[in-house]
Amino acid sequence: MELAATASNMGDMIGTYMKVINPIERNISKSIIEMQSLLVPTMNIANETIKDYYFEINDIRDILQSINMKYVRMTIENQEALRNIMNSSIQRYMKVFGAELNKILNFKYYDKLFNFANVQQDIINKMRPFLLDIQQILFARKNIKDNINKKAETMLRFGWWFISSLPIEIMNYIYKNKETLKNKDVDKIISDYYKYDECRELEEIIKEWNELEYFNKWEKKIKDAFYAHKLEMYSLSVPVWALMIEGIIRDFMSENYDVTAFKFGFLYNDFKEKAKELDGFIVSYAFNCMDSFYVRFNPEKPGRVHDFSRHKIFHGQAINYDTEINSLKLMLYLDELFYIALSLKNSISV
């Protein structure tokens, strides 16, 4: 009987503890929104400093590396107004936390008062830097996310996405000149970069694909398609890249999640759901462009869909699909797919 009562008390304590932690976690996220108006002058200074730092990073994938995240956090932390607001919000959280913790660690049992004031203070002391650290990380990630979103929205406007292998200096140029550039100008800027030195950058990208067996099994087809791409024989390269995307996603989903489907659309959507486990605000832009390649197609009314469509191509209704830009986009889709699959596979094996 006494054991049951003790177990019940423990259950209540755990429940109370979760009631404390969950609101704190929610309040941290909420505070970011609430503090925006107060932080505008400070964040503008921080944004300028961070923006200059972005220009020094050549690879977009490096933005979220821990060393660069650390720099962003330090920049934010060094703004006194921002630091004061953060400390003030932490004080509010700690008061709530301390009050609820008091209910757990100070109680009566058989008319005997139990007081764990030292334990309570020790927990509070350990929680404070933890919560402050979380706030700094959230602010840093939000700053990076806002910066990336602006560039990504611009690229999407021109029919591209936040291309992981494209140097940030090119992305910044397109973003700065978005009002004067046309789609064909952006296409040329991007294609010129990947064509430079006999497509050296694309060659390096393809070499990395060998790290995953889902790509490695297509090695001969990749060589043939890349050779065709370099010779401007896009009517040959485009179908191979398109076939690869479907084949790789099917193999990946089957091996890692035991998911198979007759229709590729179901697998593709499942794969996108899995990819949300990653930094969604980056990969989602690649999927926005990839989705247009898998747009619904009615063979009875082929004119309603553009020629750069997987279904229209393989139903024999697309004639003008064989362009350099279409071939390049599919190669870069495959590269995004490679890093998404690699990241998901690594997270599964941990």
Side-chain angles (χ1 to χ4, degrees), residues 13 18 20 23-24 62 94 110 250 260 263-264 266 290 343:
M13 287 168 63
M18 292 311 296
V20 176
I24 288 175
D62 288 342
M94 295 315 298
Y110 288 114
R250 282 187 178 277
T260 58
K263 290 189 175 181
F264 176 66
F266 295 116
M290 286 179 70
S343 298

Side-chain angles (χ1 to χ4, degrees), residues 56-99:
E56 302 302 318
I57 305 173
N58 194 45
D59 193 329
I60 287 165
R61 291 191 186 98
D62 288 342
I63 288 178
L64 295 176
Q65 293 294 321
S66 58
I67 187 170
N68 295 320
M69 282 289 289
K70 183 178 179 182
Y71 174 84
V72 175
R73 287 174 61 189
M74 284 172 58
T75 303
I76 290 172
E77 191 178 347
N78 285 336
Q79 304 303 317
E80 185 178 356
L82 178 57
R83 191 171 63 249
N84 290 339
I85 291 170
M86 277 188 170
N87 284 329
S88 175
S89 66
I90 286 294
Q91 291 297 336
R92 294 201 307 271
Y93 302 146
M94 295 315 298
K95 284 180 182 178
V96 175
F97 183 73

Side-chain angles (χ1 to χ4, degrees), residues 2-16 103-104 107-110:
E2 187 174 327
L3 184 62
T6 303
S8 177
N9 286 336
M10 288 178 68
D12 291 341
M13 287 168 63
I14 292 169
T16 305
K103 297 175 185 177
I104 299 172
F107 59 91
K108 281 186 177 181
Y109 186 72
Y110 288 114

Side-chain angles (χ1 to χ4, degrees), residues 125-176:
N125 290 341
K126 285 182 169 62
M127 282 294 292
R128 192 180 188 287
F130 168 72
L131 290 173
L132 186 59
D133 200 46
I134 286 176
Q135 279 207 141
Q136 289 174 351
I137 291 171
L138 288 172
F139 269 98
R141 287 187 67 82
K142 187 181 186 307
N143 188 283
I144 291 172
K145 182 176 178 178
D146 288 347
N147 191 284
I148 289 175
N149 277 338
K150 290 175 184 176
K151 310 280 171 59
E153 290 294 338
T154 298
M155 295 297 288
L156 198 60
R157 203 174 93 187
F158 291 112
W160 293 85
W161 64 98
F162 202 79
I163 306 166
S164 298
S165 58
L166 191 67
I168 287 179
E169 60 189 28
I170 295 177
M171 200 79 73
N172 287 336
Y173 176 82
I174 294 170
Y175 176 72
K176 281 184 174 181

Side-chain angles (χ1 to χ4, degrees), residues 39-306:
L39 295 174
V40 169
T42 304
M43 289 307 293
N44 283 343
I45 298 169
N47 286 343
E48 286 303 314
T49 308
I50 293 166
K51 185 170 68 176
D52 291 341
Y53 181 66
Y54 287 152
F55 278 94
E56 302 302 318
I57 305 173
N58 194 45
D59 193 329
I60 287 165
R61 291 191 186 98
D62 288 342
I63 288 178
L64 295 176
Q65 293 294 321
S66 58
I67 187 170
N68 295 320
M69 282 289 289
K70 183 178 179 182
Y71 174 84
V72 175
R73 287 174 61 189
M74 284 172 58
T75 303
I76 290 172
E77 191 178 347
N78 285 336
Q79 304 303 317
E80 185 178 356
L82 178 57
R83 191 171 63 249
N84 290 339
I85 291 170
M86 277 188 170
N87 284 329
S88 175
S89 66
I90 286 294
Q91 291 297 336
R92 294 201 307 271
Y93 302 146
M94 295 315 298
K95 284 180 182 178
V96 175
F97 183 73
E100 295 298 331
L101 199 60
N102 186 61
K103 297 175 185 177
I104 299 172
L105 296 176
N106 298 280
F107 59 91
K108 281 186 177 181
Y109 186 72
Y110 288 114
D111 295 326
K112 186 175 181 181
L113 181 64
F114 286 82
N115 187 300
F116 296 92
N118 291 337
V119 175
Q120 179 178 339
Q121 192 57 49
D122 187 52
I123 292 173
I124 289 173
N125 290 341
K126 285 182 169 62
M127 282 294 292
R128 192 180 188 287
F130 168 72
L131 290 173
L132 186 59
D133 200 46
I134 286 176
Q135 279 207 141
Q136 289 174 351
I137 291 171
L138 288 172
F139 269 98
R141 287 187 67 82
K142 187 181 186 307
N143 188 283
I144 291 172
K145 182 176 178 178
D146 288 347
N147 191 284
I148 289 175
N149 277 338
K150 290 175 184 176
K151 310 280 171 59
E153 290 294 338
T154 298
M155 295 297 288
L156 198 60
R157 203 174 93 187
F158 291 112
W160 293 85
W161 64 98
F162 202 79
I163 306 166
S164 298
S165 58
L166 191 67
I168 287 179
E169 60 189 28
I170 295 177
M171 200 79 73
N172 287 336
Y173 176 82
I174 294 170
Y175 176 72
K176 281 184 174 181
N177 297 280
K178 59 183 180 290
E179 301 306 328
T180 56
L181 290 172
K182 295 182 173 58
N183 280 51
K184 63 180 182 179
D185 299 324
V186 175
D187 286 350
K188 187 175 187 311
I189 290 168
I190 296 172
S191 66
D192 283 352
Y193 170 73
Y194 288 105
K195 268 198 304 192
Y196 177 74
D197 196 14
E198 297 186 347
C199 302
R200 175 60 63 88
E201 179 64 25
L202 290 175
E203 215 168 278
E204 293 301 317
I205 285 172
I206 287 172
K207 282 179 186 176
E208 292 184 9
W209 293 353
N210 288 323
E211 190 174 339
L212 283 178
E213 63 272 24
Y214 321 108
F215 283 78
N216 195 253
K217 66 187 287 186
W218 289 84
E219 185 177 9
K220 185 179 183 307
K221 307 293 188 301
I222 290 172
K223 286 181 179 177
D224 291 347
F226 185 48
Y227 182 70
H229 178 88
K230 290 173 73 174
L231 291 179
E232 301 181 7
M233 299 167 68
Y234 307 120
S235 60
L236 302 180
S237 62
V238 167
V240 175
W241 303 136
L243 285 170
M244 279 183 63
I245 293 173
E246 183 168 335
I248 288 166
I249 290 177
R250 282 187 178 277
D251 289 346
F252 178 82
M253 293 299 290
S254 175
E255 181 178 317
N256 293 282
Y257 300 101
D258 198 27
V259 175
T260 58
F262 177 74
K263 290 189 175 181
F264 176 66
F266 295 116
L267 275 177
Y268 178 60
N269 288 330
D270 278 349
F271 180 74
K272 288 197 293 183
E273 282 299 312
K274 298 297 181 186
K276 286 180 181 179
E277 299 170 13
L278 307 174
D279 285 296
F281 67 93
I282 294 178
V283 300
S284 63
Y285 288 103
F287 282 127
N288 282 340
C289 286
M290 286 179 70
D291 286 349
S292 67
F293 185 62
Y294 291 101
V295 69
R296 288 180 176 276
F297 170 70
N298 182 356
E300 294 180 344
K301 298 175 181 178
R304 291 186 174 181
V305 175
H306 52 74

